[in-house]
Amino acid sequence: MNNVFFENDKIYIRNVKNFDLAQTLDCGQAFRWKPDENGVWSGIAKSRFIELKEQNGDIVISGASKSDFEEFWFDYFDLGRDYSAVINQFSENKTLYAAANASSGIRILRQEPFEALCSFIISQNNNIPRIKGIIDRLCENFGERKGVAYAFPDAETLARLTETDLAPIRSGFRAKYIIDAARKVAGGEIDLESLKRLDYEAAREILLKIKGVGPKVADCVLLYGCGHIEAFPKDVWIKRALEEYFGGEIPACAKGAAGIAQQYIFYYIRSNA
DNA sequence: TCCCAGGCTCTCT
DNA sequence: AGAGAGCATGGG
């Protein structure tokens, strides 16, 4: 962290490699970061609201204290990982390497597991603009207000609701899945934090017990919420890309960091679409 | 308008 | 075990 400076209530990340705000915050892994007309991104995670911008090659964060940064945001933005090394590992596959270089500013966000769980339950058979809308309404209706933004509601809050209560967010058939997830988490049947420590397969099996959680949603929760970067969510876009460019198989050189490869491929094919 | 969306459940072979 | 319909809602 010797390239991080704290000055005048702002945090400067200097000479950071592989961190592009637009790529990282709007690549489909998280749904609550928004840019303004000046390129300032704002968002809230774990009830903490911050703003980020790029300035002379630095990432500048406002709204976070030094301890907030060290205890939360550093891990949230996965700043301890060397993405250049990962991209170098992917160079054995020409197409994957091209995708990685086209989206080399993406970092995998380490989101709150419960937010990732609900977000990707909502994502099923849905499109990204509408997913964002449903999640916004979920937070505005049931999340705690933190200054100018709403925190993601906690499992205990959602566990007390019924499908009818969720009608205002217009999530359709997914409402019952959100409630089942919230009740299993709030009731202690599923301990999301423990999934970070379990191995990938064991953690995945636990998530699959939640209604509305299948292989793809489970892998998204493991990748974006539990730090399992070997998870490789297969959505319709990725399935098409695997068939078209990779012979239907995940490239061998992606082993151990398949989730990062997945995100590069997803961004690459969608920005070329 | 009409197709489809970062899928999953349920049912029927 | 594998295939297919149905699902709520609305963006493009």
Side-chain angles (χ1 to χ4, degrees):
Chain A
M1 281 218 286
N2 54 10
N3 59 341
V4 177
F5 299 88
F6 305 89
E7 287 176 20
N8 301 327
D9 296 328
K10 291 187 193 298
I11 299 167
Y12 296 82
I13 309 173
R14 301 240 156 94
N15 302 317
V16 61
K17 303 297 179 199
N18 307 289
F19 192 3
D20 180 284
L21 291 178
Q23 287 187 4
T24 296
L25 301 176
D26 199 26
C27 66
Q29 60 172 324
F31 303 97
R32 300 199 64 211
W33 291 98
K34 293 177 175 56
D36 70 10
E37 59 279 2
N38 299 316
V40 178
W41 290 80
S42 62
I44 186 165
K46 204 171 184 180
S47 300
R48 301 155 196 241
F49 176 85
I50 60 168
E51 294 180 323
L52 305 100
K53 62 178 175 181
E54 292 171 7
Q55 187 178 77
N56 306 324
D58 300 340
I59 301 284
V60 185
I61 302 178
S62 5
S65 68
K66 185 169 191 260
S67 62
D68 270 346
F69 179 79
E70 291 172 345
E71 292 162 20
F72 180 70
W73 294 110
F74 183 87
D75 287 327
Y76 182 87
F77 291 113
D78 202 20
L79 292 173
R81 187 185 308 281
D82 182 354
Y83 280 78
S84 298
V86 174
I87 292 172
N88 192 47
Q89 173 188 330
F90 292 166
S91 64
E92 283 182 38
N93 183 290
K94 202 172 174 180
T95 310
L96 176 56
Y97 193 53
N101 281 113
S103 50
S104 62
I106 293 178
R107 310 184 76 83
I108 302 294
L109 299 175
R110 298 191 168 217
Q111 303 175 58
E112 288 296 286
F114 184 66
E115 177 173 346
L117 174 58
C118 294
S119 296
F120 285 95
I121 283 174
I122 290 166
S123 79
Q124 67 183 84
N125 194 232
N126 213 340
N127 57 58
I128 289 180
R130 193 160 171 272
I131 294 165
K132 290 178 177 174
I134 293 171
I135 293 173
D136 281 345
R137 291 189 289 276
L138 179 66
C139 297
E140 286 162 14
N141 280 278
F142 306 107
E144 206 172 319
R145 192 181 182 98
K146 300 283 180 184
V148 297
Y150 289 90
F152 197 90
D154 56 33
E156 290 71 21
T157 301
L158 298 184
R160 286 185 235 111
L161 303 179
T162 65
E163 278 185 60
T164 311
D165 295 326
L166 282 181
I169 74 172
R170 305 200 296 281
S171 60
F173 63 88
R174 307 165 191 84
K176 54 183 176 295
Y177 301 152
I178 296 169
I179 289 171
D180 185 63
R183 290 183 180 168
K184 284 191 166 78
V185 172
E189 183 180 340
I190 291 181
D191 176 3
L192 293 176
E193 287 301 319
S194 74
L195 302 185
K196 298 177 180 177
R197 300 184 293 273
L198 288 176
D199 65 66
Y200 165 73
E201 292 292 345
R204 195 169 190 264
E205 264 190 56
I206 290 171
L207 285 170
L208 291 173
K209 292 193 290 191
I210 299 168
K211 286 179 194 153
V213 175
K216 192 271 175 180
V217 171
D219 280 333
C220 285
V221 177
L222 292 169
L223 176 59
Y224 306 123
C226 298
H228 284 282
I229 62 160
E230 67 270 48
F232 189 93
K234 287 183 181 169
D235 60 60
V236 289
W237 297 86
I238 290 293
K239 284 176 184 169
R240 282 200 287 261
L242 282 183
E243 292 304 322
E244 193 167 341
Y245 302 113
F246 299 98
E249 299 290 332
I250 302 172
C253 63
K255 187 173 172 56
I260 298 176
Q262 190 270 8
Q263 195 55 245
Y264 289 152
I265 295 167
F266 183 77
Y267 184 90
Y268 187 57
I269 56 177
R270 283 178 58 91
S271 54
N272 285 9

